[in-house]
Amino acid sequence: MTEERFDEVVDVFLNSIRETLIVKGKEYRRNNNPFHNFDIGAQRSGLIREKVLDGFLLKHEISIADITNDLEKGILPKISTLDEKFGDNVIYLILKMASIIDKIENDEK
């Protein structure tokens, strides 16, 4: 891969992440709360919202592990699949980081 192609992959991926967080994020927000689903999950499960988020993240981590296992068998994924699976993983990591920052800034435990 050339440096130019690598830079292009990074730019396209980061733009996609930004768009997804903003556009899809609006679908899941209630009362201007970007963590609405995780807060409701925390209420229902008795877990902190970051643990609820870990449950969502696990699904995406497994999908990426499956892709890696397929590579060992010579099975190549579509680039669009990589965009989706890795994008979802990064999005959940960003959400988790933002959730923790929110707690720090509001001095919650």
Side-chain angles (χ1 to χ4, degrees):
M1 177 177 283
T2 65
E3 286 185 48
E4 291 80 16
R5 177 64 177 133
F6 180 83
D7 292 349
E8 178 187 358
V9 168
V10 170
D11 286 341
V12 168
F13 185 72
L14 292 177
N15 287 333
S16 173
I17 296 296
R18 181 183 319 280
E19 184 175 325
T20 300
L21 278 166
I22 292 167
V23 173
K24 282 293 252 186
K26 289 179 183 178
E27 269 181 53
Y28 296 107
R29 291 180 189 168
R30 297 287 185 267
N31 303 317
N32 294 319
N33 179 2
F35 309 114
H36 170 77
N37 285 352
F38 309 113
D39 287 339
I40 297 301
Q43 289 171 8
R44 289 184 179 188
S45 68
L47 301 170
I48 64 171
R49 78 175 168 212
E50 292 78 17
K51 290 283 189 177
V52 172
L53 208 151
D54 283 345
F56 284 72
L57 179 59
L58 180 60
K59 172 185 176 248
H60 301 294
E61 291 171 344
I62 292 168
S63 289
I64 290 172
D66 288 342
I67 289 169
T68 303
N69 292 334
D70 286 346
L71 288 173
E72 287 186 315
K73 299 172 188 169
I75 302 168
L76 295 174
K78 294 180 182 177
I79 292 176
S80 61
T81 300
L82 294 177
D83 288 342
E84 176 189 348
K85 302 302 181 182
F86 281 84
D88 288 344
N89 209 40
V90 170
I91 286 167
Y92 277 97
L93 290 172
I94 291 169
L95 287 168
K96 186 171 183 179
M97 185 177 98
S99 178
I100 296 168
I101 289 170
D102 178 56
K103 287 188 172 184
I104 292 167
E105 290 177 348
N106 290 298
D107 199 30
E108 293 179 29
K109 294 184 180 183

mmCIF file of all heavy atoms in Angstrom, residues 7-38:
data_model
loop_
_atom_site.group_PDB
_atom_site.id
_atom_site.type_symbol
_atom_site.label_atom_id
_atom_site.label_comp_id
_atom_site.label_asym_id
_atom_site.label_seq_id
_atom_site.Cartn_x
_atom_site.Cartn_y
_atom_site.Cartn_z
ATOM 1 N N ASP A 7 -3.173 7.175 3.470
ATOM 2 C CA ASP A 7 -3.771 8.443 3.906
ATOM 3 C C ASP A 7 -5.230 8.539 3.473
ATOM 4 O O ASP A 7 -6.078 9.023 4.216
ATOM 5 C CB ASP A 7 -2.984 9.630 3.354
ATOM 6 C CG ASP A 7 -1.595 9.748 3.965
ATOM 7 O OD1 ASP A 7 -1.301 9.057 4.967
ATOM 8 O OD2 ASP A 7 -0.786 10.544 3.422
ATOM 9 N N GLU A 8 -5.505 8.054 2.268
ATOM 10 C CA GLU A 8 -6.887 8.068 1.761
ATOM 11 C C GLU A 8 -7.784 7.159 2.602
ATOM 12 O O GLU A 8 -8.903 7.545 2.970
ATOM 13 C CB GLU A 8 -6.912 7.616 0.294
ATOM 14 C CG GLU A 8 -8.305 7.555 -0.288
ATOM 15 C CD GLU A 8 -8.330 6.938 -1.692
ATOM 16 O OE1 GLU A 8 -7.262 6.593 -2.241
ATOM 17 O OE2 GLU A 8 -9.444 6.788 -2.213
ATOM 18 N N VAL A 9 -7.301 5.969 2.927
ATOM 19 C CA VAL A 9 -8.071 5.036 3.757
ATOM 20 C C VAL A 9 -8.382 5.688 5.107
ATOM 21 O O VAL A 9 -9.515 5.636 5.588
ATOM 22 C CB VAL A 9 -7.315 3.696 3.942
ATOM 23 C CG1 VAL A 9 -7.953 2.844 5.023
ATOM 24 C CG2 VAL A 9 -7.259 2.937 2.622
ATOM 25 N N VAL A 10 -7.380 6.321 5.717
ATOM 26 C CA VAL A 10 -7.578 6.969 7.017
ATOM 27 C C VAL A 10 -8.600 8.093 6.899
ATOM 28 O O VAL A 10 -9.529 8.191 7.711
ATOM 29 C CB VAL A 10 -6.231 7.494 7.574
ATOM 30 C CG1 VAL A 10 -6.453 8.380 8.803
ATOM 31 C CG2 VAL A 10 -5.308 6.329 7.913
ATOM 32 N N ASP A 11 -8.453 8.949 5.895
ATOM 33 C CA ASP A 11 -9.377 10.076 5.729
ATOM 34 C C ASP A 11 -10.813 9.614 5.523
ATOM 35 O O ASP A 11 -11.735 10.136 6.152
ATOM 36 C CB ASP A 11 -8.949 10.960 4.547
ATOM 37 C CG ASP A 11 -7.731 11.802 4.848
ATOM 38 O OD1 ASP A 11 -7.405 12.007 6.043
ATOM 39 O OD2 ASP A 11 -7.077 12.256 3.877
ATOM 40 N N VAL A 12 -10.997 8.650 4.651
ATOM 41 C CA VAL A 12 -12.354 8.152 4.374
ATOM 42 C C VAL A 12 -12.957 7.530 5.627
ATOM 43 O O VAL A 12 -14.113 7.778 5.975
ATOM 44 C CB VAL A 12 -12.336 7.142 3.196
ATOM 45 C CG1 VAL A 12 -13.652 6.402 3.077
ATOM 46 C CG2 VAL A 12 -12.014 7.863 1.895
ATOM 47 N N PHE A 13 -12.146 6.742 6.334
ATOM 48 C CA PHE A 13 -12.631 6.071 7.544
ATOM 49 C C PHE A 13 -13.010 7.080 8.622
ATOM 50 O O PHE A 13 -14.089 6.993 9.209
ATOM 51 C CB PHE A 13 -11.555 5.105 8.052
ATOM 52 C CG PHE A 13 -11.995 4.270 9.220
ATOM 53 C CD1 PHE A 13 -12.915 3.246 9.044
ATOM 54 C CD2 PHE A 13 -11.498 4.497 10.485
ATOM 55 C CE1 PHE A 13 -13.324 2.457 10.115
ATOM 56 C CE2 PHE A 13 -11.892 3.720 11.562
ATOM 57 C CZ PHE A 13 -12.811 2.695 11.376
ATOM 58 N N LEU A 14 -12.150 8.052 8.884
ATOM 59 C CA LEU A 14 -12.434 9.033 9.930
ATOM 60 C C LEU A 14 -13.646 9.893 9.583
ATOM 61 O O LEU A 14 -14.456 10.212 10.463
ATOM 62 C CB LEU A 14 -11.203 9.905 10.190
ATOM 63 C CG LEU A 14 -10.018 9.187 10.833
ATOM 64 C CD1 LEU A 14 -8.825 10.131 10.975
ATOM 65 C CD2 LEU A 14 -10.394 8.591 12.182
ATOM 66 N N ASN A 15 -13.793 10.257 8.318
ATOM 67 C CA ASN A 15 -14.980 11.010 7.904
ATOM 68 C C ASN A 15 -16.244 10.187 8.095
ATOM 69 O O ASN A 15 -17.277 10.707 8.508
ATOM 70 C CB ASN A 15 -14.849 11.473 6.456
ATOM 71 C CG ASN A 15 -13.861 12.603 6.301
ATOM 72 O OD1 ASN A 15 -13.624 13.381 7.227
ATOM 73 N ND2 ASN A 15 -13.240 12.690 5.134
ATOM 74 N N SER A 16 -16.158 8.897 7.806
ATOM 75 C CA SER A 16 -17.301 8.004 7.991
ATOM 76 C C SER A 16 -17.672 7.893 9.467
ATOM 77 O O SER A 16 -18.853 7.915 9.825
ATOM 78 C CB SER A 16 -16.978 6.629 7.419
ATOM 79 O OG SER A 16 -17.994 5.711 7.720
ATOM 80 N N ILE A 17 -16.670 7.779 10.330
ATOM 81 C CA ILE A 17 -16.904 7.694 11.778
ATOM 82 C C ILE A 17 -17.599 8.956 12.258
ATOM 83 O O ILE A 17 -18.584 8.907 12.998
ATOM 84 C CB ILE A 17 -15.568 7.505 12.545
ATOM 85 C CG1 ILE A 17 -14.907 6.186 12.186
ATOM 86 C CG2 ILE A 17 -15.757 7.643 14.049
ATOM 87 C CD1 ILE A 17 -15.686 4.969 12.578
ATOM 88 N N ARG A 18 -17.088 10.093 11.862
ATOM 89 C CA ARG A 18 -17.666 11.377 12.271
ATOM 90 C C ARG A 18 -19.130 11.476 11.831
ATOM 91 O O ARG A 18 -20.005 11.826 12.612
ATOM 92 C CB ARG A 18 -16.850 12.531 11.681
ATOM 93 C CG ARG A 18 -17.358 13.912 12.066
ATOM 94 C CD ARG A 18 -16.566 15.039 11.409
ATOM 95 N NE ARG A 18 -15.141 14.838 11.366
ATOM 96 C CZ ARG A 18 -14.303 15.051 12.381
ATOM 97 N NH1 ARG A 18 -14.772 15.483 13.531
ATOM 98 N NH2 ARG A 18 -13.014 14.842 12.244
ATOM 99 N N GLU A 19 -19.377 11.137 10.580
ATOM 100 C CA GLU A 19 -20.744 11.212 10.061
ATOM 101 C C GLU A 19 -21.674 10.253 10.802
ATOM 102 O O GLU A 19 -22.799 10.605 11.159
ATOM 103 C CB GLU A 19 -20.761 10.907 8.563
ATOM 104 C CG GLU A 19 -22.144 11.061 7.963
ATOM 105 C CD GLU A 19 -22.141 10.878 6.457
ATOM 106 O OE1 GLU A 19 -21.151 11.276 5.802
ATOM 107 O OE2 GLU A 19 -23.131 10.327 5.940
ATOM 108 N N THR A 20 -21.212 9.053 11.053
ATOM 109 C CA THR A 20 -22.038 8.065 11.753
ATOM 110 C C THR A 20 -22.347 8.520 13.170
ATOM 111 O O THR A 20 -23.488 8.417 13.627
ATOM 112 C CB THR A 20 -21.356 6.689 11.775
ATOM 113 O OG1 THR A 20 -21.149 6.264 10.425
ATOM 114 C CG2 THR A 20 -22.200 5.664 12.505
ATOM 115 N N LEU A 21 -21.348 9.029 13.882
ATOM 116 C CA LEU A 21 -21.572 9.484 15.256
ATOM 117 C C LEU A 21 -22.586 10.622 15.307
ATOM 118 O O LEU A 21 -23.398 10.695 16.222
ATOM 119 C CB LEU A 21 -20.255 9.928 15.898
ATOM 120 C CG LEU A 21 -19.396 8.810 16.459
ATOM 121 C CD1 LEU A 21 -17.987 9.319 16.758
ATOM 122 C CD2 LEU A 21 -20.018 8.211 17.703
ATOM 123 N N ILE A 22 -22.551 11.479 14.311
ATOM 124 C CA ILE A 22 -23.466 12.623 14.301
ATOM 125 C C ILE A 22 -24.846 12.218 13.790
ATOM 126 O O ILE A 22 -25.858 12.452 14.449
ATOM 127 C CB ILE A 22 -22.867 13.773 13.470
ATOM 128 C CG1 ILE A 22 -21.632 14.326 14.202
ATOM 129 C CG2 ILE A 22 -23.896 14.864 13.232
ATOM 130 C CD1 ILE A 22 -20.777 15.247 13.364
ATOM 131 N N VAL A 23 -24.903 11.569 12.638
ATOM 132 C CA VAL A 23 -26.189 11.226 12.025
ATOM 133 C C VAL A 23 -26.885 10.100 12.792
ATOM 134 O O VAL A 23 -28.034 10.247 13.207
ATOM 135 C CB VAL A 23 -26.004 10.843 10.536
ATOM 136 C CG1 VAL A 23 -27.293 10.328 9.940
ATOM 137 C CG2 VAL A 23 -25.473 12.025 9.746
ATOM 138 N N LYS A 24 -26.208 8.973 12.978
ATOM 139 C CA LYS A 24 -26.816 7.843 13.699
ATOM 140 C C LYS A 24 -27.037 8.194 15.159
ATOM 141 O O LYS A 24 -28.004 7.748 15.772
ATOM 142 C CB LYS A 24 -25.939 6.590 13.599
ATOM 143 C CG LYS A 24 -26.026 5.862 12.300
ATOM 144 C CD LYS A 24 -27.378 5.255 12.108
ATOM 145 C CE LYS A 24 -27.319 3.762 12.247
ATOM 146 N NZ LYS A 24 -28.583 3.144 11.927
ATOM 147 N N GLY A 25 -26.122 8.985 15.709
ATOM 148 C CA GLY A 25 -26.248 9.377 17.104
ATOM 149 C C GLY A 25 -27.566 10.075 17.384
ATOM 150 O O GLY A 25 -28.177 9.876 18.433
ATOM 151 N N LYS A 26 -28.028 10.860 16.439
ATOM 152 C CA LYS A 26 -29.296 11.580 16.615
ATOM 153 C C LYS A 26 -30.482 10.620 16.687
ATOM 154 O O LYS A 26 -31.479 10.908 17.334
ATOM 155 C CB LYS A 26 -29.480 12.600 15.499
ATOM 156 C CG LYS A 26 -28.530 13.762 15.632
ATOM 157 C CD LYS A 26 -28.687 14.769 14.510
ATOM 158 C CE LYS A 26 -27.646 15.866 14.679
ATOM 159 N NZ LYS A 26 -27.686 16.847 13.631
ATOM 160 N N GLU A 27 -30.361 9.472 16.025
ATOM 161 C CA GLU A 27 -31.419 8.460 16.056
ATOM 162 C C GLU A 27 -31.631 7.901 17.456
ATOM 163 O O GLU A 27 -32.735 7.550 17.837
ATOM 164 C CB GLU A 27 -31.048 7.278 15.152
ATOM 165 C CG GLU A 27 -31.510 7.372 13.747
ATOM 166 C CD GLU A 27 -31.105 6.120 12.978
ATOM 167 O OE1 GLU A 27 -31.408 5.002 13.432
ATOM 168 O OE2 GLU A 27 -30.477 6.285 11.921
ATOM 169 N N TYR A 28 -30.541 7.762 18.200
ATOM 170 C CA TYR A 28 -30.579 7.083 19.482
ATOM 171 C C TYR A 28 -30.676 8.019 20.678
ATOM 172 O O TYR A 28 -30.881 7.568 21.796
ATOM 173 C CB TYR A 28 -29.336 6.189 19.637
ATOM 174 C CG TYR A 28 -29.308 5.086 18.620
ATOM 175 C CD1 TYR A 28 -28.421 5.128 17.546
ATOM 176 C CD2 TYR A 28 -30.173 4.016 18.711
ATOM 177 C CE1 TYR A 28 -28.400 4.118 16.602
ATOM 178 C CE2 TYR A 28 -30.168 2.993 17.770
ATOM 179 C CZ TYR A 28 -29.267 3.063 16.722
ATOM 180 O OH TYR A 28 -29.251 2.060 15.780
ATOM 181 N N ARG A 29 -30.536 9.299 20.447
ATOM 182 C CA ARG A 29 -30.584 10.261 21.547
ATOM 183 C C ARG A 29 -32.021 10.553 21.950
ATOM 184 O O ARG A 29 -32.914 10.636 21.128
ATOM 185 C CB ARG A 29 -29.928 11.577 21.141
ATOM 186 C CG ARG A 29 -28.459 11.451 20.982
ATOM 187 C CD ARG A 29 -27.828 12.756 20.587
ATOM 188 N NE ARG A 29 -26.440 12.488 20.242
ATOM 189 C CZ ARG A 29 -25.648 13.336 19.651
ATOM 190 N NH1 ARG A 29 -26.087 14.524 19.337
ATOM 191 N NH2 ARG A 29 -24.410 13.010 19.378
ATOM 192 N N ARG A 30 -32.191 10.722 23.228
ATOM 193 C CA ARG A 30 -33.462 11.196 23.777
ATOM 194 C C ARG A 30 -33.106 12.277 24.784
ATOM 195 O O ARG A 30 -32.145 12.143 25.539
ATOM 196 C CB ARG A 30 -34.228 10.075 24.487
ATOM 197 C CG ARG A 30 -34.649 8.924 23.591
ATOM 198 C CD ARG A 30 -35.803 9.358 22.673
ATOM 199 N NE ARG A 30 -36.302 8.259 21.884
ATOM 200 C CZ ARG A 30 -35.888 7.953 20.667
ATOM 201 N NH1 ARG A 30 -34.956 8.642 20.104
ATOM 202 N NH2 ARG A 30 -36.405 6.940 20.007
ATOM 203 N N ASN A 31 -33.877 13.355 24.799
ATOM 204 C CA ASN A 31 -33.644 14.463 25.741
ATOM 205 C C ASN A 31 -32.198 14.965 25.681
ATOM 206 O O ASN A 31 -31.592 15.237 26.711
ATOM 207 C CB ASN A 31 -34.007 14.036 27.168
ATOM 208 C CG ASN A 31 -35.448 13.569 27.268
ATOM 209 O OD1 ASN A 31 -36.339 14.185 26.701
ATOM 210 N ND2 ASN A 31 -35.659 12.472 27.964
ATOM 211 N N ASN A 32 -31.663 15.051 24.478
ATOM 212 C CA ASN A 32 -30.290 15.528 24.264
ATOM 213 C C ASN A 32 -29.239 14.696 24.992
ATOM 214 O O ASN A 32 -28.172 15.187 25.335
ATOM 215 C CB ASN A 32 -30.153 17.009 24.659
ATOM 216 C CG ASN A 32 -30.954 17.914 23.764
ATOM 217 O OD1 ASN A 32 -30.995 17.722 22.556
ATOM 218 N ND2 ASN A 32 -31.607 18.899 24.348
ATOM 219 N N ASN A 33 -29.533 13.433 25.244
ATOM 220 C CA ASN A 33 -28.614 12.550 25.954
ATOM 221 C C ASN A 33 -28.003 11.558 24.972
ATOM 222 O O ASN A 33 -28.669 10.608 24.560
ATOM 223 C CB ASN A 33 -29.351 11.803 27.075
ATOM 224 C CG ASN A 33 -28.455 10.852 27.826
ATOM 225 O OD1 ASN A 33 -27.263 10.745 27.570
ATOM 226 N ND2 ASN A 33 -29.039 10.143 28.771
ATOM 227 N N PRO A 34 -26.708 11.736 24.621
ATOM 228 C CA PRO A 34 -26.089 10.799 23.676
ATOM 229 C C PRO A 34 -25.898 9.398 24.259
ATOM 230 O O PRO A 34 -25.621 8.455 23.535
ATOM 231 C CB PRO A 34 -24.735 11.448 23.363
ATOM 232 C CG PRO A 34 -24.463 12.347 24.509
ATOM 233 C CD PRO A 34 -25.793 12.785 25.045
ATOM 234 N N PHE A 35 -26.082 9.262 25.579
ATOM 235 C CA PHE A 35 -25.902 7.970 26.239
ATOM 236 C C PHE A 35 -27.240 7.349 26.644
ATOM 237 O O PHE A 35 -27.272 6.422 27.455
ATOM 238 C CB PHE A 35 -25.012 8.127 27.484
ATOM 239 C CG PHE A 35 -23.729 8.842 27.200
ATOM 240 C CD1 PHE A 35 -23.479 10.086 27.747
ATOM 241 C CD2 PHE A 35 -22.777 8.283 26.362
ATOM 242 C CE1 PHE A 35 -22.308 10.756 27.481
ATOM 243 C CE2 PHE A 35 -21.594 8.954 26.084
ATOM 244 C CZ PHE A 35 -21.363 10.194 26.651
ATOM 245 N N HIS A 36 -28.320 7.818 26.057
ATOM 246 C CA HIS A 36 -29.670 7.382 26.442
ATOM 247 C C HIS A 36 -29.805 5.864 26.504
ATOM 248 O O HIS A 36 -30.242 5.316 27.520
ATOM 249 C CB HIS A 36 -30.709 7.959 25.476
ATOM 250 C CG HIS A 36 -32.081 7.392 25.648
ATOM 251 N ND1 HIS A 36 -32.914 7.770 26.667
ATOM 252 C CD2 HIS A 36 -32.743 6.443 24.944
ATOM 253 C CE1 HIS A 36 -34.043 7.082 26.592
ATOM 254 N NE2 HIS A 36 -33.971 6.275 25.544
ATOM 255 N N ASN A 37 -29.447 5.182 25.423
ATOM 256 C CA ASN A 37 -29.619 3.720 25.399
ATOM 257 C C ASN A 37 -28.811 3.033 26.486
ATOM 258 O O ASN A 37 -29.264 2.057 27.090
ATOM 259 C CB ASN A 37 -29.221 3.146 24.034
ATOM 260 C CG ASN A 37 -30.259 3.413 22.969
ATOM 261 O OD1 ASN A 37 -31.343 3.888 23.255
ATOM 262 N ND2 ASN A 37 -29.913 3.140 21.737
ATOM 263 N N PHE A 38 -27.619 3.530 26.733
ATOM 264 C CA PHE A 38 -26.762 2.924 27.742
ATOM 265 C C PHE A 38 -27.265 3.226 29.154
ATOM 266 O O PHE A 38 -27.160 2.388 30.050
ATOM 267 C CB PHE A 38 -25.316 3.372 27.551
ATOM 268 C CG PHE A 38 -24.857 3.180 26.127
ATOM 269 C CD1 PHE A 38 -24.570 4.265 25.329
ATOM 270 C CD2 PHE A 38 -24.752 1.906 25.580
ATOM 271 C CE1 PHE A 38 -24.168 4.090 24.009
ATOM 272 C CE2 PHE A 38 -24.352 1.720 24.269
ATOM 273 C CZ PHE A 38 -24.064 2.818 23.483
#
